[in-house]
Amino acid sequence: MELVAIFVSAILINNFVLYYFLGICPFLGVSKKISSALSMGLAVTFVMTITAVVSWAINHWILIPHKLDYLQIVSFILVIASLVQLVEMFIRKMSPPLYQALGIYLPLITTNCSIMFLALLAALRNYSLAEAVAFGVGSGLGFTLAIILMAGIREQLDLADVPEPLKGAGIALIVAGIMALAFMGFIGMIK
Amino acid sequence: MRDKGLVINTKEDLAQVEVFCFIESCHKCSARSLCIGQDQSKGILSVKNPLKANPGDEVNIEIPDSKYNKALILLFGSLLLASLLGMGAGYFLSPLLLISSSAGSLLGLLFALAAAVIILFRYFQKNNKNYLYPVIIDIIKKGDYHG
């Protein structure tokens, strides 16, 4: 039951994008089309899940037993950067044109502050491995949900008569704010 | 998605194209150095060259967005699914291997990821890895190349 609460809470209540306002760069940058938003969401979910597992292992098997907790931030940065480098090397070898097309895509995941926050929050709350995985997958799916909803709205906005000064990032941020207000309705769902 | 570009080099079926909109849209971006390099202000793509464009030609290229998205969804979706299944399998098999459930989950994750990577690698090799290259669809203006 605790796992379900962590999972649902990470998706709907403590949504990284709409509650903590983290990961705004990919949220605004890759939310123009639903298909690209879905692929970005899946990429972030994968990296978040693996980060949650690897950072848990490093924290519980290396840092805490050797009283090196103060190295958490440095080691988590290293973990995230290494993971994304591995994914990048794999894609480069597997499909050079896909690697070429990704452009800013992979750096957007690497420099995504929500992934760092996930690792730190899981360590701070002293989650077990199963809880860390539920938190990682839930946070990733929450990000995916937010970015897909945003992409759907932005696709419709292309057809709307938006005032000139608000076109682009202006209206996107207003929509994000309204979505955040709507998601506040989920607070109280889990005590 | 379509873009205009200038052919700067050709090799076999591929051409190196300097894409104009890359420069315009990246011009004001503070994160530009992340994707196109600190000193480089040009976006250079390798593209398929069925029209045999030569260096100096101005061309239209088509970037297969939907193919990229499908490939990315397949890639990250299957890696995510494999990770979760591997961790689940490792968790339930850990008593048989006489290891803790955490160690079992991590081992399961490693094995599942390795298997997924091998399967994906073979899949992309088998399904013509070149299908994701952008294609030159039109030569707008011939350059002064006489080779």
Side-chain angles (χ1 to χ4, degrees):
Chain A
M1 196 57 203
E2 186 68 21
L3 286 181
V4 176
I6 290 172
F7 183 71
V8 174
S9 160
I11 296 176
L12 295 176
I13 301 162
N14 297 318
N15 188 296
F16 273 33
V17 179
L18 300 172
Y19 184 80
Y20 293 114
F21 268 82
L22 293 168
I24 293 298
C25 186
F27 178 66
L28 292 178
V30 196
S31 60
K32 285 179 183 159
K33 279 161 85 179
I34 292 177
S35 54
S36 47
L38 177 63
S39 49
M40 182 69 185
L42 279 177
V44 171
T45 307
F46 170 69
V47 174
M48 277 187 164
T49 308
I50 302 296
T51 302
V53 176
V54 177
S55 59
W56 180 91
I58 287 179
N59 199 33
H60 283 79
W61 291 345
I62 300 172
L63 298 181
I64 294 176
H66 295 93
K67 296 188 172 58
L68 295 170
D69 310 29
Y70 59 91
L71 288 179
Q72 268 179 353
I73 292 180
V74 179
S75 48
F76 292 165
I77 288 173
L78 202 67
V79 166
I80 297 166
S82 313
L83 279 174
V84 178
Q85 279 298 312
L86 276 175
V87 174
E88 198 170 317
M89 281 161 62
F90 167 58
I91 296 175
R92 193 175 199 169
K93 184 76 183 164
M94 189 184 70
S95 176
L98 187 61
Y99 173 76
Q100 172 187 271
L102 283 174
I104 188 86
Y105 205 88
L106 283 172
L108 269 182
I109 303 172
T110 337
T111 54
N112 189 342
C113 51
S114 60
I115 292 170
M116 185 67 190
F117 184 69
L118 169 106
L120 288 173
L121 202 60
L124 188 75
R125 291 179 178 172
N126 206 15
Y127 280 151
S128 66
L129 179 60
E131 288 171 339
V133 171
F135 185 52
V137 178
S139 303
L141 291 179
F143 179 87
T144 309
L145 176 70
I147 200 170
I148 287 176
L149 288 175
M150 184 69 171
I153 294 170
R154 286 182 84 173
E155 277 188 3
Q156 294 297 315
L157 274 178
D158 284 345
L159 307 171
D161 188 18
V162 179
E164 198 62 38
L166 290 180
K167 277 184 180 164
I171 193 73
L173 284 167
I174 291 171
V175 169
I178 295 170
M179 279 172 67
L181 283 174
F183 266 66
M184 279 175 72
F186 291 115
I187 293 177
M189 202 170 102
I190 295 170
K191 287 186 180 173
Chain B
M1 194 173 83
R2 287 184 181 190
D3 266 323
K4 275 183 189 174
L6 183 73
V7 179
I8 52 172
N9 196 7
T10 56
K11 192 181 176 187
E12 295 170 4
D13 292 347
L14 295 176
Q16 300 254 298
V17 175
E18 187 184 312
V19 183
F20 300 144
C21 100
F22 229 87
I23 305 165
E24 287 163 20
S25 54
C26 294
H27 184 65
K28 291 174 187 169
C29 179
S30 54
R32 189 178 65 185
S33 60
L34 279 173
C35 39
I36 56 175
Q38 197 91 47
D39 304 322
Q40 207 178 353
S41 58
K42 301 162 188 172
I44 296 171
L45 297 178
S46 293
V47 301
K48 276 198 279 189
N49 187 10
L51 302 179
K52 306 284 176 208
N54 292 310
D57 290 354
E58 209 175 302
V59 293
N60 271 326
I61 61 169
E62 184 153 50
I63 299 172
D65 270 355
S66 58
K67 284 183 187 172
Y68 288 141
N69 288 326
K70 275 182 194 163
L72 283 173
I73 290 168
L74 175 77
L75 177 72
F76 288 110
S78 48
L79 285 175
L80 180 65
L81 198 64
S83 320
L84 295 175
L85 289 176
M87 277 189 281
Y91 179 83
F92 288 112
L93 290 176
S94 56
L96 295 175
L97 300 168
L98 302 174
I99 51 175
S100 69
S101 56
S102 309
S105 303
L106 279 173
L107 269 180
L109 171 72
L110 283 179
F111 278 113
L113 273 183
V117 164
I118 291 168
I119 292 168
L120 281 170
F121 197 78
R122 289 200 171 175
Y123 172 83
F124 274 92
Q125 294 285 319
K126 199 176 165 186
N127 288 282
N128 186 11
K129 61 183 179 182
N130 286 338
Y131 83 106
L132 286 166
Y133 276 117
V135 187
I136 293 179
I137 51 168
D138 184 21
I139 298 174
I140 307 166
K141 205 167 101 184
K142 279 278 184 190
D144 51 0
Y145 175 78
H146 302 293

